[in-house]
Amino acid sequence: MNNETFEMVAKTLYGLEEVLAGELISLGANEVQIGRRMVSFEGNMELLYKANFYCRTALRILKPIYHFKAKDADTVYKEVKKIEWEKYLSLDKTFAIDSVIYSEDFNHSKFVAYRTKDAIVDYFMEKYEKRPSVRVSNPDLYINIHISHNDCTLSIDSSGESLHKRGYRVDQTEAPLNEVLAAGLIMKTGWKGESNFVDPMCGSGTLLIEAAMIALNIAPGIHRKNFAFEKWVDFDQELFDRIYNDESNEKEFTFKCYGSDISPDAIEIARTNVRSAGLSKYIDLQVLPLQQYQEPPRPGIMVTNPPYGERISSRDLMGLYAMIGERMKHVFTGYKVWILSYKDECFEKIGLRPSDKMKVINGSLDCEFRCYDIFEGKNKDYKKALAEGEERSDTSAERPARSFSSDRPARNENSSGGERAPRKEYSERPERKNFKTDRMDRPDRRFAAAHSETEEEKAAFAPGKRFFGEDRNDGKPARKQFGREDAKRSNDKPFERPVKSSFSPGGPGKSSFSPGGPGKSSFSPGGPGKKKFDDRPAKMKYKDDDRFGGKNFKDKGKPFKDKKEGKDFRDSRIDKRSFGDLPIKKIKGDDDL
């Protein structure tokens, strides 16, 4: 076996770099360095085989073979042609080129891949007058060229197909969760099989299968048909067989993984995938909507990936998340609940404060993975219990007792010796009920009403809605309808509102406004015999003085003049008599009003 160490790079998803670094260290990797969506490390060929076979959060393992700098595709061609390709590729083998470009000097990644292919082909043609063939699907050698600005790295891919393709998935639902992301999220929770695992929206069962494999410590590559390194020139079959058949690290799992979904088709697909993975003994599946959960297994942890409204739509997305929060608070007490979602407004509808949250990328969506500690009682009591259960790092260094001055007055003057009066204990405030209706507007009712198939089912769950007569449909007696004909008093007189009296702008003693002209009855909106506004004292008196707006214009230099006639503004002012003293001009047709 060749124990020569060399550089390797493990690619992963955003947010899982630290988890992958921990996996590599546990396998014996050296010089581990975390980058963006990648982890670089050093090791031998055995470590390369183990990284492909055991790493749950790696997408592919690359082996760099040449580093160089280039500003254009022609330079790339010259540098690639310098490599001794006989060490990696023979004439009867096939190869494919994959390029990843992050540079302003290279505008077309495909053109870089073409020039790399030309350099390899021309190398063999000039030396052997023969060339290996290019094969896009399932080639014997995967070659990767990565360019960041002017730094170029040429690597050979030891994985082939992405490592998230475990091999156990036979069928899938719409928008399935990536296996690498599912395993990374579970490992971020710290779960290792010491409790039950629950996913109430399991879909095709990816989270359940990955959780069971973590609990049993089954290698994620056990179901893969092949790896790219098996076709390498220096492949060690005996070494890989020993790694593949080693079962010494597998563990016992005494708990179970429980999955459910509202869709029977999704449960059937999940059951097929579980059988393919050989985990039917450890995973229990059933068709069960989340709002019907009553007693989940304990102890347990819940990890789920509900719809976001992007690839999978929901008729009531906000109602779904509100229902999730309601079930968490009332059913999953004592659990740690982890939820992966996309929109902040969805998390807000849950109505709980997360204890932890981290950013991850699911496909092309920037998502968050949030943890909720579901406990009984008050938050301060829960935190106090946690603080009492934790071991203190330094018990000897206690805080010194706080001294108080003897001159400080006692808080309670009535108590003897200046001691604080005992604190009055208050009973817990009773739960407030809905004063309008006993049919509370609960999230589970809203969700059930939105997902009901018939109008009768919707009516049964409609929150806060009142039904009369036979439409009530809940077994209770019909509610009597009250109309205006019932709103009569005992003397059979209809109820009338008090009417305002008529408007008289002239003040006390002035005539009221009479639209009918002199001698006609005054305006009284309340009808005959009602109180008029004439009896109300005037709120304002008109003053005939030389003040306007609180300022005396006699003190000013020049009086205001009318621009057209040149008259003094003071001489042209309106008579300050009240409106009641002004004669009412009779117009034609007044008598007809």
Side-chain angles (χ1 to χ4, degrees):
M1 182 181 67
N2 188 4
N3 290 322
E4 179 185 358
T5 60
F6 48 85
E7 178 189 3
M8 285 175 277
V9 174
K11 306 286 287 185
T12 187
L13 297 174
Y14 175 81
L16 304 181
E17 295 90 350
E18 293 185 0
V19 180
L20 176 58
E23 287 190 280
L24 293 170
I25 292 174
S26 65
L27 293 176
N30 300 318
E31 303 295 332
V32 177
Q33 295 184 0
I34 298 176
R36 182 178 176 83
R37 301 188 185 186
M38 53 83 69
V39 178
S40 63
F41 61 101
E42 291 184 359
N44 56 13
M45 192 63 70
E46 181 180 2
L47 181 61
L48 184 141
Y49 294 170
K50 286 184 176 180
N52 278 280
F53 190 69
Y54 285 113
C55 284
R56 304 181 189 277
T57 56
L59 291 172
R60 57 184 69 252
I61 309 296
L62 303 177
K63 178 184 178 182
I65 58 175
Y66 189 42
H67 297 276
F68 60 94
K69 291 185 178 294
K71 292 185 177 181
D72 51 51
D74 291 336
T75 307
V76 172
Y77 173 86
K78 295 177 182 178
E79 294 295 331
V80 172
K81 202 173 179 181
K82 296 178 181 179
I83 301 174
E84 297 181 7
W85 286 104
E86 298 93 338
K87 296 180 180 179
Y88 314 104
L89 186 63
S90 59
L91 293 172
D92 58 341
K93 299 288 186 180
T94 59
F95 71 97
I97 307 292
D98 179 35
S99 58
V100 180
I101 310 297
Y102 300 100
S103 176
E104 297 179 355
D105 298 328
F106 298 89
N107 299 323
H108 203 298
S109 60
K110 292 293 184 183
F111 184 66
V112 174
Y114 291 149
R115 294 300 287 164
T116 304
K117 182 263 299 182
D118 292 340
I120 297 173
V121 170
D122 291 345
Y123 173 86
F124 282 99
M125 288 295 295
E126 292 177 4
K127 198 167 186 178
Y128 301 101
E129 295 183 356
K130 290 183 180 181
R131 49 160 288 183
S133 300
V134 176
R135 186 176 180 181
V136 178
S137 61
N138 196 23
D140 296 318
L141 185 68
Y142 290 87
I143 300 172
N144 178 277
I145 181 167
H146 182 277
I147 300 178
S148 177
H149 302 292
N150 297 327
D151 297 325
C152 305
T153 301
L154 195 68
S155 308
I156 52 177
D157 188 350
S158 66
S159 304
E161 276 193 317
S162 176
L163 294 176
H164 82 273
K165 296 182 179 181
R166 311 288 204 214
Y168 59 73
R169 181 178 284 176
V170 179
D171 199 357
Q172 64 185 32
T173 56
E174 186 180 1
L177 193 64
N178 183 293
E179 290 89 336
V180 165
L181 180 60
L185 296 179
I186 295 170
M187 295 175 73
K188 277 181 171 290
T189 68
W191 187 81
K192 297 180 181 179
E194 296 90 352
S195 65
N196 295 294
F197 185 94
V198 178
D199 181 5
M201 301 179 185
C202 65
S204 57
T206 305
L207 282 168
L208 298 170
I209 295 174
E210 292 294 329
M213 294 179 71
I214 291 172
L216 295 165
N217 203 25
I218 296 175
I222 194 70
H223 299 287
R224 276 181 68 104
K225 294 181 179 179
N226 54 67
F227 296 91
F229 60 78
E230 296 183 60
K231 298 180 180 180
W232 284 7
V233 176
D234 56 349
F235 172 61
D236 191 338
Q237 182 69 55
E238 183 180 353
L239 174 61
F240 180 64
D241 289 342
R242 187 167 66 249
I243 295 172
Y244 185 89
N245 296 316
D246 186 10
E247 300 178 355
S248 59
N249 294 324
E250 293 185 5
K251 302 183 301 182
E252 289 291 332
F253 180 37
T254 57
F255 296 96
K256 264 194 172 185
C257 298
Y258 295 89
S260 63
D261 201 280
I262 195 172
S263 170
D265 295 336
I267 291 297
E268 189 59 34
I269 291 173
R271 189 171 284 114
T272 303
N273 292 333
V274 168
R275 283 197 299 265
S276 175
L279 298 172
S280 300
K281 177 182 177 182
Y282 305 99
I283 299 177
D284 187 12
L285 297 168
Q286 61 177 327
V287 179
L288 181 66
L290 177 57
Q291 61 266 31
Q292 295 182 10
Y293 264 74
Q294 297 298 330
E295 189 64 31
R298 287 180 171 81
I301 180 176
M302 171 177 158
V303 182
T304 190
N305 177 36
Y308 311 153
E310 296 294 323
R311 295 184 294 177
I312 299 179
S313 60
S314 176
R315 284 181 287 182
D316 186 12
L317 186 64
M318 296 299 107
L320 170 65
Y321 278 84
M323 183 269 295
I324 291 174
E326 188 270 337
R327 290 289 88 186
M328 287 164 55
K329 288 183 286 187
H330 294 91
V331 176
F332 289 90
T333 53
Y335 266 58
K336 277 186 176 292
V337 177
W338 292 81
I339 296 179
L340 175 68
S341 191
Y342 169 52
K343 299 178 180 178
D344 289 336
E345 52 266 31
C346 294
F347 283 117
E348 291 172 0
K349 282 295 180 180
I350 293 177
L352 297 173
R353 180 179 296 178
S355 59
D356 192 9
K357 54 185 178 181
M358 55 196 73
K359 293 185 179 296
V360 294
I361 293 181
N362 183 12
S364 60
L365 302 177
D366 295 331
C367 299
E368 276 196 0
F369 191 46
R370 296 190 180 185
C371 175
Y372 300 88
D373 293 324
I374 313 301
F375 51 86
E376 295 181 356
K378 298 181 180 180
N379 188 20
K380 60 180 182 180
D381 297 334
Y382 173 73
K383 290 184 177 180
K384 183 179 179 180
L386 287 180
E388 291 176 354
E390 294 178 354
E391 295 182 0
R392 297 185 178 183
S393 57
D394 187 7
T395 56
S396 58
E398 295 182 354
R399 180 182 295 181
R402 185 176 179 181
S403 61
F404 295 91
S405 173
S406 60
D407 297 334
R408 185 172 182 176
R411 294 198 179 200
N412 189 359
E413 296 179 357
N414 298 328
S415 60
S416 60
E419 296 180 356
R420 182 183 298 181
R423 186 173 182 179
K424 186 177 180 180
E425 297 291 338
Y426 294 92
S427 60
E428 294 186 359
R429 183 178 297 177
E431 181 182 358
R432 295 182 64 183
K433 296 183 179 180
N434 193 331
F435 63 91
K436 291 184 178 180
T437 174
D438 290 335
R439 301 189 66 172
M440 303 294 289
D441 186 10
R442 299 201 306 269
D444 56 341
R445 285 188 179 275
R446 291 200 303 270
F447 183 76
H451 290 75
S452 300
E453 299 296 336
T454 62
E455 294 298 329
E456 290 76 6
E457 293 179 359
K458 291 183 180 180
F461 287 103
K465 186 175 181 180
R466 297 177 181 270
F467 294 90
F468 300 96
E470 296 180 357
D471 295 336
R472 189 176 182 94
N473 198 23
D474 58 357
K476 295 182 181 180
R479 188 188 297 271
K480 185 178 180 181
Q481 302 187 48
F482 294 92
R484 294 292 300 173
E485 64 277 3
D486 298 320
K488 295 184 179 180
R489 299 186 180 275
S490 59
N491 55 0
D492 295 333
K493 292 183 179 181
F495 173 76
E496 295 181 355
R497 295 182 180 179
V499 185
K500 295 182 180 179
S501 58
S502 60
F503 173 65
S504 175
K510 304 301 178 181
S511 60
S512 61
F513 176 67
S514 177
K520 302 296 179 181
S521 60
S522 61
F523 175 71
S524 177
K530 301 299 178 181
K531 189 176 180 180
K532 304 176 183 179
F533 277 130
D534 300 340
D535 302 331
R536 189 173 63 181
K539 291 185 179 180
M540 178 179 176
K541 292 182 178 180
Y542 290 93
K543 234 174 148 182
D544 190 9
D545 58 11
D546 294 316
R547 299 178 65 84
F548 182 79
K551 295 182 180 180
N552 195 339
F553 289 102
K554 286 183 178 181
D555 298 336
K556 302 297 178 181
K558 295 181 180 180
F560 287 106
K561 297 287 185 178
D562 188 74
K563 291 184 178 180
K564 293 184 178 180
E565 301 180 3
K567 295 181 180 181
D568 193 337
F569 179 80
R570 292 190 295 270
D571 297 334
S572 60
R573 288 180 295 174
I574 302 173
D575 189 2
K576 291 296 193 265
R577 290 178 297 171
S578 65
F579 290 121
D581 295 334
L582 294 176
I584 299 176
K585 185 178 180 180
K586 186 175 182 181
I587 62 175
K588 186 177 182 180
D590 282 346
D591 295 333
D592 298 333
L593 295 175

